[in-house]
Amino acid sequence: MKALVLIGGFGTRLRPLTHTVPKQLIPIAGKPVLYHVLDLLPPGVEEVALATGYKAEMIDAYVRAHPPKCPVRTVPEAEPLGTGGGMKNAGGAMSDPFYLLNSDVIAAVDLAAVLAHHSERGGIGTMCLAEVADTRPYGVAALGPDDRITAFVEKPEPEQAPSHWINAGLAVWSRAALDAIPPGRAVSFEREVVPNLLPQGLYGFRLARYWEDAGTPERLLNAQRMLFDDGRGGRGTIPRGALGTGPVAAAPGTTAEGASFGKYVTLGAGVLVEPGAHVENSIVMDGARVQKDAFVSSSILGPRTRVHPGHRVVGQTLGEAAEI
Ligand code: GTP
């Protein structure tokens, strides 16, 4: 079994941070989003092709320096090919069937069970579905008997949405799905290809526990909370000499003596949180500095950012090296 991970998007909803850091390398609950996605793959996956585009070199350098549990290979696109084009470009050596994962979804799912579900039904694909209240940003499935997907509409107006079950960005597809993607141009798999594949049998696999599309600052922080609550954030102990509850996932080389922490915090390497400062529900990336008596809540501080003494940062995303 092999896997294809789509990782070529621009991450526009996380700008300015994503001007310099690809979304998938932002650490949540102690490790980059991409590595939480790769953790979902069952043991025995032979190879993962990362269909890269935006900031492909950074992703390639990162996975070389920090090899994930399963062997990965990056397959860059010279220009953005969309989800379908990216699949076609990176899918040459895929197994039949293969796992297809978005690189920015945080979920509790047993992908081996999804594969079994797929094999039992014998269709062209099995798509994990998450139930959401607001379907507008997603692809929405209409479901028939045995959860066969009878219609699939990408980003419909609310009155046109056939259900509240949306494409969770985790699926098993037969190789034949790759053959259906037109070559040599940008293609949206969800808009241009998936609707045409329905007659060959596409089935839904309803996710029963948590799921989040970690594509906006609020959702990224929500995903971090879900991971910590599920015990996927490491030991979560606060740094030595600090006060408060945590959980905090701190990289080696953080200094936080005399600082305090609330729930759900990731601290990158070389972060300095000075005495009297407080951080909660936030991500503080490598080399950032939160100075004396500052207060940081529900925020993402990019690499080498600096929060001046006594400042309050609430609900903000700071791009690399920003000062406030
Ligand atoms: P936004 O710009 O904030 O919408 O984020 P995004 O660029 O990641 O877009 P979106 O979340 O809709 O993308 C879904 C998945 O497809 C993500 O895993 C993206 O990395 C991936 N993706 C989007 N466009 C491309 C592309 O052109 N090529 C490849 N290889 N992957 C893509």
Side-chain angles (χ1 to χ4, degrees):
M1 198 65 184
K2 295 189 182 182
L4 197 157
V5 179
L6 289 165
I7 185 170
F10 287 92
T12 53
R13 293 167 295 163
L14 281 161
R15 286 179 182 164
L17 183 53
T18 45
H19 283 309
T20 58
V21 183
K23 165 167 64 175
Q24 295 80 4
L25 295 186
I26 299 172
I28 62 172
K31 61 181 162 189
V33 171
L34 172 66
Y35 286 65
H36 287 291
V37 174
L38 296 175
D39 278 350
L40 297 176
L41 290 169
V45 168
E46 259 172 74
E47 185 187 62
V48 182
L50 301 178
T52 53
Y54 182 63
K55 304 252 176 244
E57 337 66 50
M58 273 182 83
I59 293 163
D60 189 60
Y62 196 94
V63 295
R64 281 174 196 273
H66 307 88
K69 278 182 292 188
C70 38
V72 297
R73 178 168 67 87
T74 52
V75 188
E77 292 157 29
E79 57 191 58
L81 290 174
T83 49
M87 288 167 65
K88 190 88 175 170
N89 188 53
M94 274 302 111
S95 52
D96 190 16
F98 63 96
Y99 292 113
L100 176 70
L101 312 182
N102 281 4
S103 52
D104 54 359
V105 292
I106 296 302
V109 60
D110 176 358
L111 286 179
V114 181
L115 177 61
H117 193 269
H118 176 78
S119 307
E120 282 159 21
R121 282 157 188 79
I124 191 162
T126 298
M127 181 185 273
C128 293
L129 303 173
E131 191 175 27
V132 299
D134 180 5
T135 57
R136 278 174 300 179
Y138 304 111
V140 188
L143 295 161
D146 198 23
D147 281 349
R148 183 162 175 170
I149 297 177
T150 53
F152 185 78
V153 203
E154 188 64 15
K155 300 187 175 67
E157 288 304 315
E159 56 283 2
Q160 254 106 52
S163 78
H164 283 276
W165 289 96
I166 58 115
N167 176 8
L170 307 162
V172 173
W173 287 100
S174 300
R175 272 197 63 96
L178 294 172
D179 300 336
I181 301 170
R185 67 171 173 90
V187 178
S188 163
F189 184 62
E190 299 77 15
R191 281 181 199 280
E192 289 185 55
V193 183
V194 171
N196 300 330
L197 298 177
L198 300 184
Q200 295 177 62
L202 175 62
Y203 290 88
F205 183 97
R206 299 184 197 222
L207 297 181
R209 291 180 61 210
Y210 61 87
W211 174 86
E212 187 59 282
D213 154 27
T216 67
E218 299 74 26
R219 295 203 195 124
L220 194 63
L221 291 172
N222 195 39
Q224 167 160 273
R225 180 183 61 73
M226 289 168 163
L227 289 166
F228 272 124
D229 283 348
D230 196 23
R232 289 167 65 190
R235 283 172 41 246
T237 44
I238 57 169
R240 187 150 20 110
L243 307 165
T245 57
V248 175
T254 54
T255 309
E257 225 156 293
S260 70
F261 293 92
K263 285 180 153 187
Y264 312 127
V265 176
T266 291
L267 302 176
V271 162
L272 170 61
V273 186
E274 293 185 356
H278 177 82
V279 183
E280 60 185 29
N281 191 39
S282 292
I283 296 161
V284 184
M285 293 179 64
D286 292 0
R289 185 168 166 196
V290 179
Q291 292 190 273
K292 215 167 164 297
D293 300 328
F295 178 85
V296 177
S297 177
S298 304
S299 293
I300 304 169
L301 309 185
R304 288 171 292 288
T305 47
R306 181 167 151 197
V307 179
H308 287 257
H311 257 76
R312 284 176 68 83
V313 181
V314 179
Q316 294 197 50
T317 299
L318 303 188
E320 180 156 4
E323 294 200 19
I324 192 164

